[in-house]
Each structure stands twice: as C-alpha cells, then as structure tokens.
Amino acid sequence: MNRRVDTLLRTALDTVQGSALRPVTALPASLRHRLAGAPIQIDGNVLDPDLQLLLRLEGLLPGKSKDRVSVATARANLLTSAKLVAGPQRELHRVTDLTVRGADGQLGARLYVPRSAPMSNGGLLVFFHGGGWVVGDLDSHDAFCRDAAEEAGVRVLSVDYRLAPEAEAPVAAEDAIAAFGWAVEHAEDLGAHPSYVGVGGDSAGGNLAAVVAQQCVRRGLVPPALQVLIYPAVDLVGRRPSRDLFAEGFFLTDDDITWYREHYTPDPAIRADPIVSPLLADDFTGLCPAYIVTAGFDPLRDEGNEYAEKLTAAGVQVEHHCERSMVHGFANILVLADETLHARRRITTAIQSHLRPPT
C-alpha cells in the first residue's frame, strides 16, 4: 500500500481513538477491502479482509512491543483495545457484580442474565477471560460475555481470577477450579440448573477452562456439562509450525506468547504439569464434551488443533471448528460483522445446544 493510503488510514484511526471503530467498519465493503490491501494467503488459508484492515490499522499504532511496556501499561492497553472493538453495548435483562470462591479467598465476578431467557433453571457458562494470565479482567471481556449470554440464551458468570506476575502459576488454575465448584454449588442461587453448568474461556481463559475440565475428573469433582475452548493455549512447553508461520503481524505475536509465559511461569519446571499445560496430560478419558474453536491465522492454532485430536482419540465428544480466515482474538471483535460474526455465532449456537435445558 502507498503513502497516500497510509495517510488515509491514519486519518481514519485518529477519528476512532478512544471511541470505537464503527466509522471505519461502516464504510462500504468494497472500500474496506481496497484499504485492506491485497489478500493475505498463508498455509492454504485466506485472511478475512475486514480483519486484515484492522491489522493494518493496528500497525499504525505506536509502541505496541511488550518488551517496552510495564505490566500495568499492558493491562491498560488491552482495555483501550477492547473498547475500540467492542461495538455497541448489548442490553441484557440484568448484569450483576458479585463475589465467588477462589482458591484463597473471594474473587470478583459478574453475572450476565439474558433477555432472551431471563427465567431461572436455565444454563450457565462459567467464563475465564483471556490475556495470557497477565492482562484482562471483567471489563476487557464484558462485550463478549454480554453477546454470548444474549445469543446463547444462557447465563454467563465471568470470573476475575488472580493474575501474574502477582500470582504465579498455578494460582489462576486453582482459582478457576474453585470458582467453577462454587458455581455448581450455587447454581440455583444464580438462577441456573445444576446439571447445565459449563466452563469456557478464550486463549489463556481457554487454558483454564481445559484445566478445570481435567481437574474435575482427576479430583472427583462435579464435571462441567461442556467445555468451550476458544483458541486455547494448552502447551507452554512445545513449539509447533503455526508459532513460526504467524509469529508477527496477526495481533498475537510469538514475542507476546513468550512474555506472557515468562510472567505466568517464571519457574520452567511447572510448565509441563497438566495444570499449566493440559495438552501434556497422560489421560484424556472421561472428560466432558468439548467445543473447540481455533483460528487459521493464529500462532496457537496447531496446539489447539492437536488438543481436539487428543480428546477425540480418547473418546471425548468433540466439536472442533478451525475458523480458517480468522486471527487470534476474533471473538472479542464485536464491531465486525460478516465472517467474524458468523464465527461467533457458531460458538454461541454450540453453547445454546449444550447448556439450555430442554423445555
């Protein structure tokens, strides 16, 4: 793309700083695709042009390298980015802040009750946000949780587990296990049916959801009705081809992954433990049904695909979708329609089919 187009994009970016990307995404599709540039094709997949345009806009933002910012700055940056891509806030029947049990004391949480199914005795998804176990909170994933609750017609309980480096591994995992157990025990108080409580998360949150599903079996706890793993990080030891194919330029970078891993697991000895790397478990039998979504342009793609294969080989009921035109983080980009919307709807449809009790 030439300097004239870069100038046009910078102008567009200046108009959306601190608000949202709707002025850009409202442009005609043909113009958006022209601004995005020539199609990007890697490993047989073609990047969605709207995501390609967002990547181009992101490339015009200054100072994104993790090695030049503090943890506090990285957390603030994620909140800023989340606001830009959230789209209009969805109205629900009720959104309530509360506390749940963690591994060592109380954790903040937020309950989303949809207008589409406000009555009690429905399904509940206990959700853990992404952010590399270092960044992210209830607010960074508020838009996704609102959308998931309303579209799936189930309640969503988002849990604010403790983050690294203040709390190193496996604190986040133990918080997730404790919080899920609390949600099952208090399902009726939350307006849900105890037999229809699932667990889910994106990226690092997908890791925690997978750990919860495994540890419930290992520890003899009540298992989830469903595990929803959205481009999960499931192996902090191995390296696969997608880490190199998409090391730069697709939101999550190889350097980002290393930065997060070093903060969450400063002691490398714990990284092979299934409570940190669920892909490295010895036994996958007896786990609850899984909906696993990976993205074609994601450095974590291959480990997520491998996890789906391992669960399937162990006889676990698995529905796996590799969203071939998507990037890591697409589920939180609610400002986009078209292919990104269709991919999100496949997630909420799966949640609905497993967690809404028959009428």
Side-chain angles (χ1 to χ4, degrees), residues 117-132:
M119 304 303 293
S120 299
N121 211 38
L124 173 70
L125 179 73
V126 181
F127 182 80
F128 303 111
H129 65 78

Side-chain angles (χ1 to χ4, degrees), residues 267-341:
D267 179 5
I270 198 175
R271 292 174 189 166
D273 192 312
I275 204 166
V276 170
S277 296
L279 181 61
L280 304 184
D282 295 327
D283 186 5
F284 298 91
T285 59
L287 299 184
C288 65
Y291 181 86
I292 301 176
V293 57
T294 53
F297 290 80
D298 181 1
L300 300 182
R301 181 195 66 188
D302 291 352
E303 62 190 74
N305 291 347
E306 186 176 334
Y307 196 67
E309 293 167 0
K310 284 201 171 186
L311 294 188
T312 301
V316 177
Q317 179 186 338
V318 176
E319 184 178 356
H320 172 218
H321 283 280
C322 182
E323 302 291 354
R324 298 180 61 184
S325 66
M326 296 288 106
V327 297
H328 191 91
F330 77 81
N332 289 299
I333 307 176
L334 279 77
V335 73
L336 294 184
D338 299 335
E339 292 305 314
T340 306
L341 174 62

Side-chain angles (χ1 to χ4, degrees), residues 70-83 134-137 140:
S70 66
V71 168
T73 300
R75 290 171 179 169
N77 287 347
L78 178 63
L79 284 173
T80 298
S81 298
K83 291 177 182 178
V134 178
V135 303
D137 57 20
S140 67

Side-chain angles (χ1 to χ4, degrees), residues 28 44 46 56 132 294:
V46 180
R56 187 158 181 77
T294 53

Side-chain angles (χ1 to χ4, degrees), residues 66-67 69-79 128-138 140-141 159-169 171-173 175 202-208 233 236 252 255-266 271 328:
K66 291 288 191 301
D67 61 6
V69 301
S70 66
V71 168
T73 300
R75 290 171 179 169
N77 287 347
L78 178 63
L79 284 173
F128 303 111
H129 65 78
W133 311 276
V134 178
V135 303
D137 57 20
L138 300 180
S140 67
H141 285 62
V159 177
D160 205 14
Y161 57 89
R162 286 174 288 174
L163 298 176
E166 297 88 346
E168 299 171 3
V171 169
D175 275 349
D202 66 312
S203 195
N207 168 285
L208 298 178
L236 276 69
L252 180 68
D255 286 344
D256 291 339
I257 294 170
T258 300
W259 190 84
Y260 291 133
R261 185 188 66 183
E262 296 299 321
H263 281 80
Y264 184 52
T265 58
R271 292 174 189 166
H328 191 91

Side-chain angles (χ1 to χ4, degrees), residues 110-112 122-128 144-145 148-149 152-159 180 183 190 192 196-201 209 224-230 347-348 351-352 355:
R110 187 171 293 165
L111 180 66
Y112 300 84
L124 173 70
L125 179 73
V126 181
F127 182 80
F128 303 111
F144 172 82
C145 290
V154 304
R155 296 171 186 232
V156 173
L157 179 68
S158 183
V159 177
F180 177 78
L190 297 170
Y196 290 87
V197 181
V199 65
L226 173 71
Q227 53 181 317
V228 181
L229 313 182
I230 305 172
I347 296 172
T348 53
I351 296 171
Q352 182 182 64
L355 296 186

Side-chain angles (χ1 to χ4, degrees), residues 239-248 254 299:
R239 186 180 184 92
R240 292 163 184 80
S242 60
R243 279 282 295 273
D244 297 313
L245 281 172
F246 310 108
E248 293 288 341
D254 184 55

